[in-house]
Amino acid sequence: MISYDRAEAAATAANIDEALATAAPLPYWLDHPDRPDALPHLSADTSADLAIVGGGYTGLWTALLAKERDPGRRVVLLEGQRIGWAASGRNGGFCEPSLTHGAANGQRHLPGEVQLLDRLGRENMREIQETVRRYGIDCDLEVTGVLKVATEQHQVPWLLDSADGERTEYFDRAAIAEEIASPLYHAGLWKRDGALMVHPAKLAWGMRRVCLDLGVEIYEHTTVERLEPKDDTVLVNTPSATVRASKVALATNVFQPLLKRARPFTVPVYDYALMTEPLTEEQMDAVGWRNRQGVTDLNNRFHYYRITRDLEGRNRILFGGYDAIYNFGGRMKPEYEQNAETSRKLAAHFFATFPQLADVKFSHQWGGAIDTCSRFFSFFTTAYSGRVVHSAGYTGLGVAATRFGARVMLDLLSGEKTHLTELQLVKKKPIPFPPEPIAWLGVRLMTAAMVKADRNRGKRGPFLRVMDAIGMGFDS
């Protein structure tokens, strides 16, 4: 059994109960005094050059870039609940350059574009940093990179194979213990340009402020029910009013697409995280982690974790991942945002990773749905003679990639060929998921096969090899 299995077996119920006893059942990032007040809902019919449906990162980037391209363009953004309340306010805050969920996955699906997409992804990340600086967006940005750790001996060669000269730093067992003290680590690889760390909700709120300053009209608590072509425009219908728009960008991601043709390409997968209470200086010294990298392990069911500073400047650790839960029929319910079993697993794994923090308690526990597609990265759908574009499928790596997706949507809506619209990433679709009950059964088989592979030194069995060959996957 792998290390995390042993951790679950070793953890005592009393220790876990005590650690989670006072954890608030809501996202740490959204539990913040700087969360802006809600904006009014759309109450009267209006018109727009561009209507955007969805107020997460994809919709906010689309609005911001649209106004930068054409300040005179009238842009209306409609959000069914609150800006940044869903995945954009619940994620781990890893802002990574990859547009393809990692180089290996990009090579598998788009071998002819891997180098180009790598360059575009790094350009995209630089432009995000420039935008944050230009508009003074306070999102606790830290340029730390990402540290990938081997928690099993057989994973060490994987790190060595992916080392890339000056862009990476390899740590053997002794060196990784000096970098971050954990008994689980056999080795590590620090990709110095592999990630920025951000406060995800503050990034969304900062973009909201910029959009409003640029003249974007934002309406919250405004659910779009349907689209309707009307002459050379599209009617965006809500329960209380209608927007007549020349162009429409659909940025609903995990939520059911307004375009029926896009619905088979994504399924909602629930991911979960814990946040510790503030750590003392002595506790931080016991862990090390002075370079504050984001950390991920190499298992199929992987963890992600990072340090963040709270309002008082005290360090906390976010610890998430591992379980990726699909509910039958793709159902999404508020009660799915809490999962006691997964929270207990995460707590056990946290204490196995950092036994020197055995007395630490958790302040928050939460979950949220991710829009997973079979190739693990974004896809695009056009409709109504090019007047509507939909983008989704970011599969947990959307903090940076949604900005790239916004650029693509705006290019597609312009009706002109650009270097982005001609990408195979944009032209090709992922393989759609099958209908129920096949989808649910397939996900269960996939999850079981990934667990088996993790317990078998990473060797992928026949089922996973077949899924790899046909381009189907399941991930968070």
Side-chain angles (χ1 to χ4, degrees):
M1 296 175 71
I2 66 170
S3 303
Y4 295 117
D5 289 336
R6 292 194 294 271
E8 289 178 41
T12 67
N15 286 348
I16 299 302
D17 287 343
E18 184 178 2
L20 292 169
T22 57
L26 71 164
Y28 169 80
W29 309 115
L30 296 175
D31 187 16
H32 197 288
D34 291 344
R35 187 177 189 180
D37 294 335
L39 295 165
H41 72 279
L42 182 69
S43 58
D45 291 350
T46 189
S47 61
D49 299 309
L50 172 65
I52 300 167
V53 182
Y57 292 145
T58 309
L60 291 166
W61 278 121
T62 304
L64 193 158
L65 294 173
K67 292 297 283 187
E68 286 187 335
R69 290 186 182 190
D70 181 2
R73 176 165 25 188
R74 187 175 185 189
V75 179
V76 173
L77 188 153
L78 308 174
E79 163 55 43
Q81 294 203 31
R82 298 285 304 280
I83 294 295
W85 76 277
S88 298
R90 297 167 186 262
N91 64 82
F94 285 62
C95 185
E96 302 186 41
S98 178
L99 302 176
T100 59
H101 212 84
N105 191 57
Q107 182 67 36
R108 183 180 303 119
H109 290 280
L110 299 171
E113 288 186 347
V114 170
Q115 291 184 340
L116 172 59
L117 292 172
D118 177 74
R119 178 176 62 79
L120 290 173
R122 295 182 186 283
E123 287 178 359
N124 182 61
M125 190 117 105
R126 287 193 295 271
E127 289 163 355
I128 289 173
Q129 293 182 74
E130 291 170 3
T131 300
V132 168
R133 285 194 295 267
R134 183 165 64 252
Y135 292 111
I137 295 174
D138 176 14
C139 60
D140 301 346
L141 187 148
E142 297 183 71
V143 185
T144 63
V146 63
L147 180 65
K148 296 185 179 294
V149 294
T151 57
E152 302 291 332
Q153 184 60 42
H154 69 265
Q155 297 168 351
V156 174
W158 302 350
L159 293 178
L160 291 168
D161 289 345
S162 60
D164 183 18
E166 295 180 355
R167 286 164 57 174
T168 59
E169 181 177 354
Y170 175 75
F171 300 94
D172 62 18
R173 185 156 198 157
I176 192 63
E178 289 294 320
E179 188 70 18
I180 303 179
S182 172
L184 298 188
Y185 299 165
H186 294 264
L189 188 71
W190 183 8
K191 296 189 175 183
R192 293 179 178 273
D193 60 353
L196 312 170
M197 294 293 112
V198 299
H199 186 301
K202 288 175 69 175
L203 176 60
W205 300 334
M207 292 169 62
R208 167 192 182 274
R209 187 258 302 165
V210 172
C211 286
L212 291 171
D213 290 347
L214 293 175
V216 177
E217 300 169 46
I218 300 178
Y219 298 94
E220 295 185 315
H221 296 297
T222 302
T223 302
V224 175
E225 296 179 323
R226 68 186 186 281
L227 304 178
E228 179 185 348
K230 184 70 172 179
D231 301 325
D232 59 349
T233 64
V234 177
L235 302 182
V236 183
N237 295 295
T238 80
S240 56
T242 297
V243 180
R244 180 187 288 267
S246 301
K247 306 286 184 179
V248 178
L250 300 178
T252 51
N253 290 307
V254 74
F255 299 98
Q256 188 174 66
L258 290 163
L259 299 179
K260 288 184 179 180
R261 71 184 70 172
R263 292 176 184 173
F265 294 105
T266 59
V267 296
V269 174
Y270 278 82
D271 178 68
Y272 297 89
L274 304 175
M275 183 68 80
T276 70
E277 292 185 343
L279 304 181
T280 65
E281 290 297 324
E282 292 77 16
Q283 288 169 327
M284 287 301 302
D285 288 342
V287 174
W289 210 345
R290 286 169 289 276
N291 290 307
R292 305 178 67 84
Q293 307 97 324
V295 180
T296 64
D297 63 56
L298 300 177
N299 299 295
N300 284 307
R301 297 202 298 172
F302 62 92
H303 296 88
Y304 56 87
Y305 38 111
R306 48 82 58 99
I307 304 172
T308 189
R309 287 192 176 93
D310 63 18
L311 286 170
E312 287 74 38
R314 302 168 300 182
N315 289 304
R316 298 171 181 249
I317 296 176
L318 175 144
F319 196 84
Y322 195 72
D323 279 345
I325 297 176
Y326 172 74
N327 298 289
F328 185 86
R331 289 191 292 263
M332 295 174 60
K333 298 180 180 179
E335 52 262 41
Y336 294 160
E337 294 168 10
Q338 294 292 315
N339 188 304
E341 181 182 355
T342 295
S343 290
R344 296 178 68 82
K345 285 182 189 177
L346 288 174
H349 296 179
F350 175 86
F351 293 130
T353 304
F354 300 119
Q356 64 272 52
L357 302 180
D359 58 344
V360 166
K361 296 179 174 58
F362 299 99
S363 65
H364 294 75
Q365 56 183 327
W366 73 94
I370 295 169
D371 57 324
T372 292
C373 72
S374 61
R375 71 184 189 187
F376 304 161
F377 56 89
S378 60
F379 65 93
F380 302 86
T381 305
T382 59
Y384 298 105
S385 302
R387 292 193 292 272
V388 175
V389 175
H390 167 265
S391 176
Y394 293 89
T395 317
L397 250 71
V399 178
T402 47
R403 182 189 181 278
F404 178 82
R407 288 181 60 199
V408 171
M409 284 204 291
L410 291 172
D411 280 9
L412 289 169
L413 288 170
S414 75
E416 300 177 1
K417 287 185 178 181
T418 70
H419 70 290
L420 298 185
T421 63
E422 295 305 294
L423 290 170
Q424 288 301 301
L425 179 149
V426 176
K427 290 184 172 184
K428 291 178 63 175
K429 292 281 198 305
I431 296 173
F433 289 99
E436 296 292 12
I438 300 172
W440 182 83
L441 178 61
V443 169
R444 293 294 295 268
L445 290 171
M446 179 74 72
T447 301
M450 290 193 298
V451 171
K452 185 176 181 179
D454 280 338
R455 292 173 174 171
N456 191 29
R457 300 175 59 83
K459 295 177 182 177
R460 297 173 78 79
F463 182 79
L464 287 181
R465 291 199 297 271
V466 170
M467 294 297 101
D468 291 342
I470 65 176
M472 286 291 290
F474 176 76
D475 197 4
S476 63

